[in-house]
Structures are given as C-alpha cells and as structure tokens.
Amino acid sequence: MLRNRLITVLTFNDGTLFRTKLFEPDYRYTHNFVDSWSVDEIVILDITRDPNADKRAFYDVVTQFAKECFVPLAVGGGIRTLDDARQMMAVGGDKVVVNSGAVERPKLITEIAEAYGSQCAVLSVDARKSEILDSGYEVFSHFAGQPTGKAPGDWALEGEKLGAGEIMITSVERDGSLQGYDLALCRQVTEAVTVPVLGMAGAGNWKHFVEGVEQGGLSAVCTQNIYHFTETSIASAKKFMEKKGIPVRL
Amino acid sequence: MIGIVDYGLGNLTSVAGAVSKLGFEPHITSDADTLAASDKLILPGVGAFPDGMANLANRGLIDILGDLVIKQRKPILGICLGFQLLGLSSEEFGHTPGLGWIDAPVTRLKPADNALRVPHVGWNDLTQTKPDCILFDGIADQSLFYFVHTFHMETPPDGSQVGTCDYGGAFTAAVQKGNVFGTQFHPEKSQQAGLTLLGNFLEKA
C-alpha cells in the first residue's frame, strides 16, 4: 500500500536555514535538524528576495543534502526558465518546485514536464483567505505579496493540465502559526486535481498531520518548523500517525 | 568503474552519489570507450520515453549499449525511465519503440481504484516474486521503495519479472533477464533498502 509521506521543508535565505512566519524569515537555525533516515522526502526552497543574489550558496546546500540523504529532493525558489530548472537538477534536485515563475508564464510547467517528465514538476500554490472570490481563497505569488485573481483549485487544476505531477498547497496565514493546516483550503485543491497534493503551513503537533491526511485529503504532509524535529521527532511523528491508522513508512 | 549512461535526461548526480557512497567509482558518460571500460552500467532516467529514446539515438548510444549489453553481456541496471526504455515500446506521447531487451510494452498506470492518484508517488511495498534474484540479497520481502511514475511496464511473458508492486493492481516493479536488470522504483532514493539493492547489483551482478 502506498504510504502517506511526511516531508520536511527547509527554507534558505542567502544560503542560511531559516524558519518562516507569515512568509518572512523568522528564526535562524545553526544546524539542520533533519533525521536523514526517517524523513520520506525533503523540499529545499531558496527564499532569498533579491533576484540577482548569487545562488551558489543555495546550490551548495542542495548538493550537500544530495550527498547525505538518499530520499527525493524537491528544489525550488526563483525558477523562471527551463535553464533555472536544469541548474536545480544539476546540483542534485530530483524534482523542481515552481511558483511565481508559473504564475507569470504558465508554460514553464509544460517546459519542465516535457524535459523531465510530469513527476518532476511540482506546482507550489500560496493562498490567502479572500472575501472577493467565491472560493474564499485567492492565489498569491511573489512571496505571497501579489494577488493573482485565481482560485486555488482552479489554478491547481490548470497546473495539472499543463503538466504538473504534484501540487503543493500553502496557506499564507497559517505559515508559522502551529495552528494546523487550513483543511478547507487543502480540500479545495485535493478535490480539484487527480495528482498527489502536498499540504504545507500550520502543522504544530502530530495530530495536525493526521487531520491533513484524513480531512484535507493530502498525500503528503509538510512541515518546516523544524525545532519540533530533532533527531527522533520525525520517527515519533510517524509512529503517532500509524497508530491513528495512517499508512506511513516507519 | 561504474558507467552511468549520460543521455541528457535524469537524476545522474543522485545515482552517482549513491554509487560513491557504496564505495564504487561512478563515471557519468556517453563516451563509447568509457562505457566499454566500465565493469557495470547504470541507465538512470527521469523524463519522457520519446525524449529518452531520441536522446539515446542522437548520441549513438543505442548501438553502443546494444553491443556492450547484448553482445558482450555487460551487466546493466535500468532505473525508472531507464528501466522502461529496456521494454518493447511505450505509449507515452504516442507510440515509441524501446530498446526491446525485455519483451513487454510500457503503458499508462490505470489503478482499479479511482481514489488512487496518478502519478504514483511515494513509498510502496515491493513483493519479491523471485526472491532468489541477487538484487534482493539481504532485503526483506515487502520492503519499501520510492516510486514516482505515470507509466509502467506490463508483465513480461519471458519470466523476467522478479518483483511487483500493488497500486490498484499489481504491476512489474523489477526485472532480471540474464545480465539485464531494471527497477521501476528509485533505489538511489530508497534509503537503506535501496542502497542495499544497488550494492547487490554493483557487487554481485
């Protein structure tokens, strides 16, 4: 039976690991608290704001993980062209995560899917609550600063049609909140698409992972608040999930 | 020396990293002489089947690999797309002939259960249909491996299937036909079980 995944998301600002809150770098870490044997998959995102910043420090981070972690690495941040994606793959990524680049130019998803296969193209969708759109949520791009007028389910489905193999849905308001995933938002996306959906932002305890799968319909639950995740905590989170009836890899 | 076939597609660095970790010397190459000098070959691959075959053809690799693998019987391990390329053909983006070393076509996954999402992404159990295959030495049946794919190889009639996985129906997840090995899953991304399997190929094939 296919297992639900617990994914660790690491965000780097100028090559330094940070936790984020409401999409701003919030807390700097000095160590990577990744239990490289229990983790199912790792998402590594470059959240450096300056588009002209030297990306070498970030690429080095990816290469280091690729050497030590024998699990899939999804890599993203600032990907605008197929060449950017190719660079992320060359330094050790197995999948690339696109967000604003796909909002600006949706064909980017297709270009990546055609070059590397759909399974390689992860569309990241950041959404805020909306009082204007019927869906109650609106997709934002550019570090959640720019409204797009799109409903998350519609954009996710468009992304799937363009070739995205997975969707990663993030609630901007829940980022760093530890209040749990925005389950209604997760459901809008999981019901709209047939590809696997990764849920992000808000997990503060093990129960939130279970809710994300059972109520949000998520294939994978993500967290970046790694101060919860010292050496043994990924393993204990998964033991908790299994006890609650969620199939996981122990 | 382990020749990792570079045909412009795929997670070559990941595979090379796992080979190094196991104490072998990986060479990412499409050069005929380097491939010929390699003890074993790995055909990795992430991407679409037609691109895969076109890239192999453009680099003259179909003839080079045919000579090394079929005539000289050098061991080869196909991974994911590299595994599918070993088959007769694929229906991904139309109909494309494959290398044809394993006698089975590649078709789209159609899980019997509509609730199952495609692509099939994540950790799933491997059933060892031929547990004595050297790839499985020291690996428990039903160990978990990392899969990520939309297409799958149909059951080869020549008995080369050595492992299956269930995703709304059993599909061929690993094959061996003499010196030709293949896995639909990614051993280089499957933690300890994957490294053990890859090590078995490198040491024992």
Side-chain angles (χ1 to χ4, degrees):
Chain A
M1 187 199 307
L2 181 65
R3 306 304 198 269
N4 289 100
R5 284 169 283 160
L6 179 57
I7 297 179
T8 297
V9 177
L10 302 173
T11 47
F12 287 84
N13 193 18
D14 285 326
T16 303
L17 180 61
F18 277 82
R19 183 183 83 191
T20 64
K21 194 167 187 178
L22 294 167
F23 273 57
E24 290 295 331
D26 174 48
Y27 183 89
R28 179 185 167 161
Y29 293 92
T30 50
H31 297 288
N32 297 336
F33 295 104
V34 178
D35 169 359
S36 58
W37 290 109
S38 292
V39 70
D40 290 328
E41 191 163 332
I42 301 172
V43 175
I44 307 176
L45 299 176
D46 185 5
I47 58 164
T48 309
R49 295 297 202 261
D50 178 3
N52 300 314
D54 187 352
K55 290 187 88 78
R56 263 177 305 185
F58 180 75
Y59 292 149
D60 288 347
V61 163
V62 175
T63 302
Q64 204 53 43
F65 271 96
K67 269 190 199 147
E68 290 167 14
C69 298
F70 298 97
V71 296
L73 300 181
V75 186
I79 295 177
R80 294 292 190 276
T81 65
L82 183 58
D83 265 352
D84 294 340
R86 192 168 284 135
Q87 185 63 36
M88 292 289 198
M89 299 288 284
V91 296
D94 299 296
K95 309 176 183 181
V96 293
V97 182
V98 294
N99 188 318
S100 303
V103 170
E104 289 169 359
R105 200 170 61 82
K107 200 168 169 285
L108 175 64
I109 301 170
T110 312
E111 290 169 6
I112 294 169
E114 282 176 356
Y116 295 106
S118 286
Q119 78 292 328
C120 198
V122 182
L123 174 62
S124 164
V125 177
D126 298 332
R128 290 179 184 272
K129 286 204 165 139
S130 165
E131 289 175 4
I132 304 160
L133 299 187
D134 291 342
S135 61
Y137 295 94
E138 180 175 358
V139 177
F140 276 67
S141 65
H142 298 82
F143 302 105
Q146 200 166 302
T148 66
K150 294 172 191 284
D154 294 346
W155 175 227
L157 180 60
E158 193 183 336
E160 175 179 341
K161 286 179 180 160
L162 288 165
E166 288 180 290
I167 306 292
M168 181 170 173
I169 179 68
T170 302
S171 158
V172 177
E173 287 96 350
R174 295 290 175 102
D175 183 38
S177 73
L178 309 182
Q179 290 169 5
Y181 299 104
D182 186 329
L183 298 171
L185 172 63
C186 292
R187 252 194 324 275
Q188 276 195 10
V189 174
T190 55
E191 285 169 4
V193 299
T194 64
V195 296
V197 178
L198 290 51
M200 173 68 190
N205 64 53
W206 302 166
K207 262 198 290 193
H208 292 149
F209 297 138
V210 175
E211 288 171 5
V213 172
E214 288 185 342
Q215 297 170 46
L218 299 171
S219 298
V221 285
C222 305
T223 181
Q224 64 150 331
N225 282 299
I226 46 179
Y227 66 90
H228 280 286
F229 296 92
T230 54
E231 282 291 310
T232 57
S233 57
I234 294 177
S236 63
K238 287 167 128 187
K239 277 186 198 126
F240 180 87
M241 291 168 76
E242 193 197 37
K243 233 165 62 185
K244 297 292 175 183
I246 308 279
V248 291
R249 181 184 68 92
L250 289 177
Chain B
M1 182 168 85
I2 306 301
I4 298 176
V5 183
D6 180 6
Y7 58 112
L9 284 179
N11 53 342
L12 305 175
T13 42
S14 303
V15 174
V19 169
S20 299
K21 173 83 174 179
L22 291 161
F24 292 81
E25 190 192 332
H27 276 260
I28 297 175
T29 182
S30 55
D31 174 63
D33 293 338
T34 312
L35 291 171
S38 301
D39 304 309
K40 309 265 163 75
L41 303 174
I42 297 179
L43 185 63
V46 169
F49 195 100
D51 284 353
M53 284 310 292
N55 285 16
L56 284 178
N58 290 341
R59 295 171 190 223
L61 285 164
I62 294 180
D63 291 340
I64 294 168
L65 292 175
D67 185 54
L68 295 175
V69 175
I70 301 304
K71 285 200 190 131
Q72 300 182 33
R73 308 196 58 78
K74 201 182 279 288
I76 189 168
L77 173 66
I79 298 174
C80 198
L81 176 64
F83 155 70
Q84 295 182 359
L85 293 174
L86 305 175
L88 283 178
S89 63
S90 170
E91 63 175 28
E92 186 174 9
F93 300 116
H95 180 91
T96 310
L99 293 167
W101 300 341
I102 302 287
D103 190 19
V106 174
T107 55
R108 197 178 170 82
L109 275 175
K110 292 188 189 85
D113 178 353
N114 280 336
L116 295 177
R117 294 170 184 270
V118 176
H120 172 219
V121 186
W123 299 80
N124 207 336
D125 318 74
L126 182 73
T127 300
Q128 300 175 6
T129 51
K130 288 196 183 156
D132 52 349
C133 175
I134 52 127
L135 289 181
F136 302 142
D137 281 2
I139 299 173
D141 192 28
Q142 307 301 324
S143 289
L144 289 166
F145 290 89
Y146 190 86
F147 290 82
V148 50
H149 61 121
T150 303
F151 289 79
H152 72 101
M153 185 183 283
E154 295 196 348
T155 308
D158 56 10
S160 57
Q161 181 189 79
V162 297
T164 60
C165 175
D166 187 90
Y167 193 61
F171 66 87
T172 301
V175 298
Q176 184 202 347
K177 187 175 176 182
N179 58 320
V180 178
F181 297 78
T183 63
Q184 179 59 66
F185 53 86
H186 287 269
E188 79 284 9
K189 291 285 159 185
S190 295
Q191 297 280 32
Q192 191 56 59
L195 290 176
T196 303
L197 185 142
L198 198 56
N200 286 339
F201 170 73
L202 297 176
E203 282 164 28
K204 299 170 185 174

